Amino acid sequence: MTLKNLAQLAGVSISTVSRVVNKNDSSVASKEVRDRIWDLARQTGYVPNRSAQNLKLGNRPPQTEAGRHIACIFARTPNGKSDPFFSQIFRSIEYECMKNRYEMTGVYTALNLRSTVQSLSDIRYDGIVVLGRYSRSLMNQIKRCSKNIVYTGLNPICDPYDQIICDGYETAKAAVRYLHTLGHTCIGYLGEKSDEIRYRGYYDAIQELRLPLRREHIVEAEQTMQGGYLGGKRILTAVHSSSEFVATRPTAIFCANDSTAMGVMKAFHEEGVRVPKEISIISIDNTEICQFTSPMLTAIHIPKDELGKIAAKILIDRMEGGHSLPMKIEIPFTLVTRESCASPMH
């Protein structure tokens, strides 16, 4: 399989395919086109010709062992490869594996634990990548399947495995602090709460800033668009049922991720609540869709490509005997301001 063959199958130019699979360039084409190219690359077994590129540049070919297989487990979501956050991390991991002549030959979800563990045991993968916060039962099972495990996500772990994280606790605190600098003192939360470090960051930031913490402004919801939509409706219902509506109405909502924020924005739009004029919204992830919402979504940017790339590098290094002690690498985040946040109305 050559670049030319792959381009013909995908219906795009050779240069487009090259920039997608050889450079992991997300600006060269739409997400739909990039996904189609990667799917075809997997189906046809295409591997970037790194040896030829290294010879052209005068470098030695990478000394990697053929036939090493890596599995990826989406620990938090049933449809990981369609999830806008984890799918980008996965794509970066897959790309790095291809570069180094390793194969991502198994992709699983933790929701079907018995089937996943059975597959891992039968195939005996050389390395396993775990994406997102995992349960104790999952880790107890998969640690028997491979000694080479790397975790990446927003929640730091205490287990003795390599971890590549962008600290969700600090990102949540940064989001709340930013809303406070705009003048917001009544800030709500929408997302998961149980074992969710982003909720703890929100809670602690509210306490540190000495802001009111109102029960009706904290809504636990699935971190999906549907969860955000239903949660947004619940926030408005709780507010409207309050006898102190004007005094207790939140002026800003911190959403645990972009998908939740998009659901909230839809719920508010249907109820005639204007964003950001009446309620500001901020989220965590900064996936591609943030630029296409109306108004455009302010978010904490998580370096998803770097999380995946470094996770793959660390796992491969461990598999090849480069290190034995568990490593913890923390990736910095940044605030991306757009149109969904403004100073509160007075």
Side-chain angles (χ1 to χ4, degrees):
M1 178 57 57
T2 66
L3 277 177
K4 183 178 180 180
N5 299 145
L6 204 54
Q8 289 173 341
L9 289 171
V12 297
S13 68
I14 296 175
S15 63
T16 297
V17 173
S18 177
R19 289 175 63 182
V20 171
V21 300
N22 289 326
K23 298 181 181 179
N24 203 21
D25 188 345
S26 61
S27 66
V28 68
S30 68
K31 183 178 184 299
E32 181 182 359
V33 171
R34 299 197 310 271
D35 286 347
R36 184 165 73 248
I37 292 171
W38 279 112
D39 287 341
L40 287 168
R42 277 198 304 275
Q43 293 167 19
T44 59
Y46 175 80
V47 176
N49 192 349
R50 295 293 158 187
S51 297
Q53 291 177 13
N54 281 323
L55 288 171
K56 184 177 180 180
L57 295 172
N59 299 328
R60 294 179 61 190
Q63 299 299 310
T64 56
E65 297 178 25
R68 301 296 293 273
H69 299 284
I70 293 174
C72 182
I73 300 177
F74 290 89
R76 290 206 60 177
T77 173
N79 299 305
K81 290 172 72 173
S82 63
D83 179 272
F85 178 74
F86 287 112
S87 65
Q88 189 170 343
I89 297 176
F90 172 80
R91 187 75 76 210
S92 185
I93 293 169
E94 186 177 41
Y95 171 73
E96 198 63 33
C97 289
M98 290 175 67
K99 271 177 45 177
N100 290 278
R101 306 293 181 179
Y102 283 81
E103 291 188 69
M104 179 71 72
T105 50
V107 182
Y108 305 96
T109 174
L111 295 191
N112 192 349
L113 182 57
R114 179 177 296 180
S115 174
T116 294
V117 172
Q118 185 63 52
S119 297
L120 292 172
S121 300
D122 290 344
I123 299 174
R124 301 299 297 178
Y125 290 94
D126 300 288
I128 298 175
V129 183
V130 180
L131 298 184
R133 187 183 70 226
Y134 54 80
S135 66
R136 176 54 44 204
S137 58
L138 173 66
M139 187 54 70
N140 287 340
Q141 294 289 339
I142 66 173
K143 69 183 182 182
R144 302 190 183 102
C145 302
S146 177
K147 63 180 180 179
N148 302 313
I149 298 173
V150 64
Y151 158 83
T152 185
L154 302 184
N155 290 29
I157 62 173
C158 298
D159 294 310
Y161 304 110
D162 296 326
Q163 56 179 304
I164 319 300
I165 64 166
C166 188
D167 195 335
Y169 177 79
E170 293 298 334
T171 60
K173 293 181 76 172
V176 173
R177 290 192 191 111
Y178 172 68
L179 292 172
H180 186 247
T181 63
L182 293 177
H184 294 281
T185 57
C186 194
I187 302 170
Y189 171 83
L190 201 151
E192 296 175 8
K193 292 170 60 179
S194 178
D195 295 323
E196 178 49 73
I197 203 167
R198 280 166 279 186
Y199 173 69
R200 177 55 60 89
Y202 159 82
Y203 183 92
D204 287 352
I206 293 293
Q207 296 289 323
E208 291 169 10
L209 293 168
R210 300 182 182 275
L211 301 179
L213 192 69
R214 302 192 65 92
R215 177 179 54 82
E216 63 269 27
H217 297 164
I218 300 173
V219 173
E220 185 165 16
E222 287 186 4
Q223 288 168 192
T224 62
M225 282 188 273
Q226 178 70 4
Y229 176 79
L230 297 175
K233 294 284 190 179
R234 285 171 57 193
I235 287 177
L236 294 177
T237 300
V239 168
H240 283 293
S241 65
S242 171
S243 60
E244 306 173 49
F245 170 67
V246 176
T248 63
R249 184 175 64 188
T251 61
I253 303 291
F254 164 56
C255 296
N257 66 5
D258 296 343
S259 295
T260 307
M262 287 187 286
V264 171
M265 291 173 74
K266 177 176 172 58
F268 286 176
H269 176 74
E270 289 181 355
E271 298 297 327
V273 177
R274 296 165 295 176
V275 177
K277 191 170 185 179
E278 294 178 82
I279 296 183
S280 290
I281 297 177
I282 190 171
S283 68
I284 289 177
D285 284 353
N286 192 40
T287 52
E288 196 173 32
I289 197 65
C290 290
Q291 302 174 60
F292 300 99
T293 59
S294 182
M296 291 191 293
L297 184 61
T298 292
I300 302 292
H301 174 68
I302 307 298
K304 296 165 284 296
D305 286 334
E306 286 77 9
L307 284 175
K309 179 179 180 179
I310 296 173
K313 284 180 176 289
I314 292 299
L315 179 61
I316 291 171
D317 184 72
R318 174 175 287 277
M319 290 165 62
E320 296 182 347
H323 72 282
S324 57
L325 294 176
M327 297 183 64
K328 179 179 180 180
I329 298 177
E330 186 168 329
I331 307 297
F333 58 86
T334 53
L335 170 68
V336 180
T337 58
R338 296 191 181 94
E339 302 169 346
S340 65
C341 291
S343 297
M345 297 175 62
H346 294 289

